[in-house]
Amino acid sequence: MKIEDLIQSENLPEGRRTVISIIYTANMLSEESAAVLKPFKLTLPQFNVLRILRGRKGKPANLSSIQKRMVNKMSNTTRIVDKLIEKGLAERTICPENRRKVEITITKAGLSLLAKIDEPMDSVNREAIAGLTPDEVQTINNLLEKIRS
């Protein structure tokens, strides 16, 4: 869909048009990703936490470090982790050196589930950028990084 189909005003400032386009595209990609995750009974925030934990390569994470890396900062990290623990995809332990510190790790079941999700999610990602050249992909990445900084 072209952004012109969404925007009713012809005199919309270019900056506003750009932001609307980015938000619309992000929502579209989120919906496509959520559709991939639905058969696995995972939400996007749960998937994000599992990926963060997998990226730790066996080292435990705490809630604060997970929250910092979350794609959606509005997510309730504690609730998400609790759901993953209920599903047997993550586990929580008390740090032996500091009993006030809670450590979270991904389980073998969590790693196994991510391994099943990787290819369908990669396929969605490939389809999303299929019409772009490698240089265009790099340009988009650079521009989005510039917007975030």
Side-chain angles (χ1 to χ4, degrees), residues 6 13 15 77 95 111-112 115 122 126:
L6 296 174
T77 309
C95 175
L111 289 170
S112 176
D122 288 345
R126 281 190 303 272

Side-chain angles (χ1 to χ4, degrees), residues 44-148:
L44 277 168
Q46 289 170 351
F47 175 65
N48 187 212
V49 169
L50 285 177
R51 286 185 29 242
I52 291 166
L53 293 174
R54 178 174 63 180
R56 305 274 305 164
K57 300 184 183 347
K59 292 190 307 188
N62 59 44
L63 288 171
S64 176
S65 66
I66 293 171
Q67 178 69 35
K68 286 178 188 169
R69 296 194 52 94
M70 291 285 292
V71 171
N72 182 350
K73 305 289 186 206
M74 301 302 290
S75 297
N76 182 339
T77 309
T78 302
R79 183 180 50 77
I80 294 166
V81 168
D82 287 345
K83 286 285 190 190
L84 293 173
I85 291 169
E86 284 176 26
K87 294 178 180 189
L89 303 174
E91 58 189 7
R92 179 187 296 125
T93 56
I94 304 297
C95 175
E97 293 85 34
N98 180 352
R99 305 231 358 110
R100 293 178 293 182
K101 185 176 176 188
V102 175
E103 297 179 329
I104 300 138
T105 54
I106 191 168
T107 63
K108 288 182 181 178
L111 289 170
S112 176
L113 183 61
L114 282 181
K116 293 174 188 169
I117 295 171
D118 283 340
E119 177 47 39
M121 194 60 77
D122 288 345
S123 178
V124 165
N125 294 339
R126 281 190 303 272
E127 288 175 29
I129 61 169
L132 303 174
T133 67
D135 285 343
E136 289 170 331
V137 171
Q138 186 61 51
T139 298
I140 288 173
N141 287 333
N142 292 341
L143 292 172
L144 291 172
E145 183 73 30
K146 195 172 184 179
I147 289 171
R148 288 189 303 270

